[in-house]
Amino acid sequence: VQRAVFHSRQLRILYDRGGEPVARTLDPLGLVVKGSTWYLVAAVDGQPRTYRVSRVLEAAQLPETALRPDGFHLRAWWDEQQRGFVAQLPRYAVLALARGPALATLKHGGWFVTVERQSEPDADGFCALELAFNAEYHALGWAFAGGADVVICEPVELRDRLAERAAQLLARL
């Protein structure tokens, strides 16, 4: 795959899409990495597509020169694809107060969340937050893990579910 990209040669792959593998002849345009996952960006019929390199079962560089769509810029195309992906994610809005470790886990705790607004801490160290989680259960998990360092203001349904979960836990003690 890498040689075909670097030498601008067409590439024949057998690709695992999660069912029956499919054979494709591609015009490689570049390799990109997101986290620790590598992706091949390649044109099919002049249209750029993304292929996860780890799903390429077989690859053969062909002698034909790869065709590059006019005006194609890998970085700009990849950035646009990422923006589109993020825009399609579900959004579960939460207004909350948080302090200490609960604030830190928003950035480094693995929660699927965007901090849209954050105030300066008040006298008790709480920051007012406008958050966008991908799903209610992510918000519930974060709030429950935060314990006394999280206060859910809205939505009321989330606050009620948090109270139910806490009552269930207390009943088991």
Side-chain angles (χ1 to χ4, degrees), residues 102 105-114 133 137-143 145:
T105 62
L106 283 172
K107 294 180 182 154
H108 308 293
W111 304 105
F112 296 97
V113 62
T114 301
F133 287 88
Y137 69 90
H138 292 149
L140 183 60
W142 170 75

Side-chain angles (χ1 to χ4, degrees), residues 63-137:
E64 292 84 8
T65 300
L67 301 175
R68 190 173 194 84
D70 288 338
F72 180 81
H73 298 284
L74 181 62
R75 173 95 175 179
W77 184 85
W78 182 255
D79 288 347
E80 181 60 31
Q81 295 304 301
Q82 296 306 296
R83 280 191 294 277
F85 174 77
V86 170
Q88 290 178 1
L89 291 173
R91 185 177 184 283
Y92 183 77
V94 174
L95 298 179
L97 303 174
R99 66 180 177 193
L103 277 174
T105 62
L106 283 172
K107 294 180 182 154
H108 308 293
W111 304 105
F112 296 97
V113 62
T114 301
V115 178
E116 295 181 337
R117 288 205 173 95
Q118 178 176 337
S119 74
E120 292 298 318
D122 65 14
D124 294 322
F126 281 97
C127 295
L129 302 167
E130 291 181 26
L131 306 169
F133 287 88
N134 287 35
E136 179 189 82
Y137 69 90

Side-chain angles (χ1 to χ4, degrees), residues 17 23-24 26 28 36 53 62 71 81 102 106-107 116 135 140 145 151 161 169 173:
R17 293 190 318 179
R24 294 269 193 266
L26 311 171
S36 61
V53 173
L62 302 175
Q81 295 304 301
L106 283 172
K107 294 180 182 154
E116 295 181 337
L140 183 60
V151 177
R161 283 188 184 75
L169 177 66
L173 297 179

